[in-house]
Amino acid sequence: MRTRSSRSRRPAAFGLCLLLGVSTAAPPTAHADWRPSLAPPLDAYRAPLDPLRIDLPADMPQGDLDYLALDLDRVDVTARVYVDGAQLVYEPPAALPIGEHRLRLVQYRPDGGVDVRGDWRFDVDESAADVTRIRLDGSASLTARYRVADDGSRDYGAVDHGSGALDAAGTAANAHGSVEGSASLLYDSAGVPVDADDFDEDGTARPGTREVELGEYVLSARSRALSSTLGHHRLPRESLVMRDFHRRGASVTLAGRERFSASGFALRAEPVVGFDRITGIDDDDDRVVGAIASGTLASTGSGDLDLTAMVLSGEGSDRTGAGIAAAAAPVDGDAASVALAAGFHDERLVLRGEVARSRFDFDSGDADDRKIEDDAYQFSITLDPWRSRLIGDRPAYWQTQLEYEQIGTFFRSVANPGAISDVRALRLSSAFSALGWSVDARLSREQDNVDDDPSIAAYQSDIASLFASFTPPRELAGDTGGRWFGQPVFLFGVDYTRQRDVSTPDIGGGLDFALDGVTRQFTFGANFVHDRWDWGFNHTFGESEDRLDRTPDSENSLTDLSLNYRFGDRLYLGTQFQRSNLREIGTGVDIDGYLAGINAYFVIVPGRLSGSTYLSWHRQRATDGSSSTRTRTLDLDLQWQARAPRTNRPGLKVFLKGQYQQVEDNRFDDIEDDPYQVFVGLTMDAPFSLQRPR
């Protein structure tokens, strides 16, 4: 699985360590003499888009992988490298020019030195420029299920049911460009609901709903500096006016020199799947159109000055915000933003500022059709002083950010569905990782009523949180852990929130808008991992306090214990015990909950017959006798692999599944209910892969 680094500018010494998520417990063995080799091309020639594969020797120490970096033509490409078995693989994002290229694999030592592990020169053959490589990968599954028994106490629906899915991804590429795409199909014999109109009153699919529907899909094409995308995607830049906006639609991007790019887009305002609205841009009343431009205004040896501008206009019908100005559709509006980011000292210091403005009609169905204007601002300072630093021969990370944000009362954008309007916030966060420690600390103060309107109340929230974990290095854990503790991981966390009024309006009528409440939560725990078994515990305690004594204060706690053991390759057992408590301090009523469970996975005939089972017991009761419930659950799943699936050869599996539940509830005249269902069925799995030329 490819794992991309979110910090692509991190010096190459940390590239594969962060990118691959492997253990950083062992320092590099700088004196180990191992040599990789560049794998030959699949054909007699190397095409411009062929992946570059590096064979790693079997005697390479695992710890060295953390400190490798890859350069292609003197450009660090580590962020696009992934591991495939005993190979490092780099897939060029665009066609390599015809001619000679140089590839270097280097290893960074703790003392700052560099070992060159491999230095190769290779040619991209001109005869391969017009060769188009086509590849299609995916998997299909289809399940037929029949209910052979049930308790008969209720309507469980049809006795037979079918479901399935098809996921596929393909590419076609040559030196002139590439086309990539992926899509999913969903099948359900009861119908696949894709919007609110497809659901019946009981939450099931309405009769007549399509049994086969299109899920998410995306199709993109690239030719030199121009690329286009159709389907579900998000734009490469985000801002105050567009964030977390993954929608179906179309976009075109032109990438120029000096890291300049410009994009135009038309996306559907609300999420959609299915064959209807296939392009996502055919509905004038549910569409967002706009453009984005970004580029580097100045560049020095220690940092860049980057500018991003965005403008958009759209209409929608879903709830796309929260706060005083939150409203349901129909709505429409325009928005624009400009952001400037400056990096200093090799990006160890980054200053960023953004200004945005919106014009929004909160009820476009109203004949008035008046758009309200408002502004938003965001400024941040990010410090990353430990870039390229090692502590104790291991990578270290420390980043601190100070951010100020003000969102106007009526600031809204259809392309920022999660935005909270009417807020002024100052936030400080710091993340630290070194020597097995990982710490994340956050402080913030947020206040609404940014316009200081005396006719409405203003509330302030003070929030503080700290989460820390410690994983001792394996050599230390081995010395101190013994047979019981293995590789430990210790956890600790604390959260504090206070919400109170800053000002309240005096409007008479006996209305009081005063507020002063505090919530606190503490968490601690540990997990101990062995080769064949692991165990752990976690405890959380919280309390809620109303300092105005208008609502009862409360306390809550949750304790979780677990133990898992693997008996060879044939049996795995896991156990869990939970105790929860909720106490209303004013009334003295406690609500206690208990959960005990055991799950097992077992192999009866290796490669053929296997199964799993889960048995649980749950009890909840109130000390005043107002409620008392007991639930016992048994799940059983037996699987017979009649034919194992392989690439381009389907597999077949037969299963027997059942569930039994026993429920006792004294709130409804001592109701006792024992529902159960038993199913038999078949599942076909068909992975496939096609490649031309081979």
Side-chain angles (χ1 to χ4, degrees):
M1 182 182 70
R2 183 192 300 272
T3 306
R4 298 187 186 277
S5 172
S6 62
R7 302 180 50 79
S8 59
R9 291 189 177 182
R10 178 174 292 276
F14 305 101
L16 292 180
C17 165
L18 296 176
L19 184 68
L20 306 174
V22 296
S23 169
T24 59
T29 52
H31 302 293
D33 187 17
W34 58 270
R35 293 294 169 187
S37 60
L38 181 64
L42 297 177
D43 299 305
Y45 48 79
R46 192 179 296 276
L49 283 165
D50 278 357
L52 302 177
R53 295 180 174 271
I54 299 174
D55 293 320
L56 300 175
D59 61 345
M60 184 196 79
Q62 182 67 26
D64 288 11
L65 189 65
D66 298 9
Y67 298 85
L68 297 179
L70 188 66
D71 293 341
L72 175 61
D73 296 332
R74 302 184 66 180
V75 176
D76 181 15
V77 296
T78 307
R80 296 189 63 89
V81 176
Y82 64 93
V83 174
D84 183 12
Q87 289 184 326
L88 296 179
V89 183
Y90 168 71
E91 296 181 351
L96 297 178
I98 303 300
E100 186 181 72
H101 297 270
R102 184 180 183 184
L103 188 69
R104 291 202 324 151
L105 182 68
V106 300
Q107 177 184 335
Y108 286 79
R109 301 196 304 265
D111 60 5
V114 178
D115 292 329
V116 179
R117 292 299 185 180
D119 192 341
W120 307 279
R121 296 182 184 272
F122 63 91
D123 291 317
V124 173
D125 199 324
E126 185 174 5
S127 63
D130 294 324
V131 175
T132 299
R133 294 193 176 276
I134 301 175
R135 178 159 185 167
L136 178 65
D137 298 287
S139 63
S141 65
L142 184 63
T143 298
R145 188 186 70 182
Y146 184 82
R147 187 172 66 250
V148 296
D150 62 60
D151 60 288
S153 63
R154 65 204 69 188
D155 182 11
Y156 288 108
V159 296
D160 55 348
H161 180 259
S163 62
L166 170 66
D167 296 292
T171 60
N174 58 27
H176 307 292
S178 63
V179 177
E180 301 180 7
S182 63
S184 63
L185 287 175
L186 307 174
Y187 163 71
D188 195 300
S189 61
V192 182
V194 295
D195 57 42
D197 294 335
D198 292 334
F199 287 96
D200 219 333
E201 294 180 356
D202 60 357
T204 60
R206 289 183 181 275
T209 303
R210 287 196 191 108
E211 295 183 4
V212 178
E213 273 289 8
L214 175 67
E216 292 198 356
Y217 81 94
V218 63
L219 181 66
S220 60
R222 179 192 301 270
S223 180
R224 294 181 173 86
L226 186 66
S227 63
S228 59
T229 304
L230 177 67
H232 292 85
H233 65 292
R234 66 176 62 193
L235 277 297
R237 303 283 180 173
E238 293 195 335
S239 68
L240 289 171
V241 301
M242 176 178 283
R243 184 165 295 162
D244 297 327
F245 199 62
H246 180 80
R247 295 293 189 268
R248 180 181 285 183
S251 66
V252 177
T253 299
L254 176 65
R257 297 180 179 178
E258 301 300 331
R259 286 183 283 181
F260 169 81
S261 67
S263 302
F265 60 88
L267 304 173
R268 187 172 176 85
E270 64 182 61
V272 64
V273 293
F275 288 108
D276 294 334
R277 310 295 185 191
I278 187 69
T279 64
I281 58 177
D282 56 340
D283 188 352
D284 294 340
D285 297 327
D286 203 320
R287 184 171 59 204
V288 180
V289 297
I292 305 172
S294 63
T296 300
L297 301 181
S299 181
T300 66
S302 64
D304 301 326
L305 180 63
D306 298 323
L307 177 70
T308 301
M310 183 180 301
V311 59
L312 60 88
S313 177
E315 299 184 31
S317 58
D318 60 330
R319 181 175 293 275
T320 54
I324 291 179
V331 295
D332 73 271
D334 315 313
S337 74
V338 177
L340 195 65
F344 304 92
H345 303 294
D346 295 326
E347 305 296 319
R348 288 179 171 85
L349 171 64
V350 177
L351 307 180
R352 185 184 185 277
E354 181 179 354
V355 179
R357 188 167 184 82
S358 71
R359 297 172 60 249
F360 206 85
D361 184 355
F362 293 90
D363 186 4
S364 60
D366 192 343
D368 185 18
D369 196 25
R370 184 174 64 91
K371 293 182 178 180
I372 303 176
E373 298 185 7
D374 214 333
D375 302 313
Y377 312 93
Q378 188 181 71
F379 306 98
S380 65
I381 302 174
T382 303
L383 294 174
D384 193 359
W386 284 4
R387 291 177 68 89
S388 73
R389 182 168 183 177
L390 299 177
I391 297 181
D393 296 337
R394 297 175 181 87
Y397 171 79
W398 179 27
Q399 185 180 86
T400 300
Q401 184 178 74
L402 178 65
E403 177 187 79
Y404 174 80
E405 180 180 72
Q406 179 171 313
I407 310 297
T409 303
F410 297 100
F411 180 86
R412 280 280 304 279
S413 173
V414 180
N416 191 354
I420 299 178
S421 60
D422 190 39
V423 63
R424 181 188 296 120
L426 182 64
R427 304 182 181 100
L428 175 65
S429 63
S430 186
F432 166 88
S433 177
L435 299 175
W437 283 95
S438 179
V439 181
D440 191 303
R442 299 176 185 271
L443 293 171
S444 68
R445 168 166 287 182
E446 301 179 3
Q447 182 178 322
D448 58 11
N449 192 8
V450 298
D451 295 329
D452 297 323
D453 186 344
S455 65
I456 61 176
Y459 298 100
Q460 178 177 290
S461 298
D462 294 321
I463 304 171
S465 67
L466 172 68
F467 179 81
S469 67
F470 177 58
T471 305
R474 283 193 175 272
E475 57 268 24
L476 177 61
D479 293 339
T480 62
R483 60 184 299 182
W484 286 103
F485 299 108
Q487 173 64 65
V489 179
F490 302 99
L491 309 171
F492 171 78
V494 58
D495 284 285
Y496 171 89
T497 300
R498 182 185 181 187
Q499 293 181 306
R500 63 185 182 90
D501 63 272
V502 178
S503 64
T504 58
D506 185 9
I507 60 177
L511 297 176
D512 188 355
F513 297 92
L515 174 68
D516 193 355
V518 175
T519 60
R520 306 176 186 88
Q521 181 170 292
F522 306 89
T523 300
F524 64 90
N527 293 298
F528 305 94
V529 181
H530 297 255
D531 292 336
R532 303 180 67 87
W533 62 296
D534 63 86
W535 65 281
F537 68 90
N538 190 81
H539 179 74
T540 299
F541 171 78
E543 56 184 1
S544 177
E545 176 187 359
D546 183 357
R547 295 185 173 180
L548 300 180
D549 294 327
R550 294 180 175 177
T551 59
D553 296 343
S554 64
E555 296 177 350
N556 63 85
S557 65
L558 176 66
T559 303
D560 194 316
L561 305 174
S562 64
L563 171 63
N564 306 295
Y565 199 95
R566 179 169 57 89
F567 298 86
D569 297 328
R570 306 284 290 269
L571 179 62
Y572 169 88
L573 289 178
T575 60
Q576 179 189 29
F577 175 78
Q578 258 185 22
R579 182 188 184 277
S580 62
N581 174 264
L582 174 62
R583 171 177 297 175
E584 289 188 357
I585 297 177
T587 63
V589 176
D590 283 25
I591 300 177
D592 296 315
Y594 302 88
L595 172 66
I598 180 170
N599 64 85
Y601 172 78
F602 48 89
V603 176
I604 302 173
V605 180
R608 287 290 184 180
L609 185 60
S610 62
S612 63
T613 183
Y614 177 68
L615 176 64
S616 68
W617 176 85
H618 179 257
R619 170 74 188 278
Q620 182 172 299
R621 66 181 182 87
T623 55
D624 63 353
S626 60
S627 67
S628 177
T629 61
R630 291 184 176 89
T631 304
R632 302 174 184 87
T633 301
L634 174 64
D635 291 303
L636 178 65
D637 184 2
L638 291 176
Q639 308 267 353
W640 178 53
Q641 190 75 60
R643 182 180 182 180
R646 298 179 187 172
T647 302
N648 298 328
R649 195 195 81 167
L652 183 64
K653 183 164 52 180
V654 181
F655 63 81
L656 170 67
K657 296 183 179 182
Q659 182 184 71
Y660 170 78
Q661 195 172 60
Q662 188 180 66
V663 180
E664 301 176 13
D665 192 336
N666 73 342
R667 294 175 298 175
F668 303 100
D669 298 326
D670 293 323
I671 285 180
E672 293 188 14
D673 195 10
D674 301 331
Y676 68 87
Q677 296 184 82
V678 180
F679 301 93
V680 295
L682 302 171
T683 296
M684 183 190 71
D685 294 308
F688 57 87
S689 179
L690 304 173
Q691 184 173 336
R692 296 291 185 274
R694 291 185 175 277

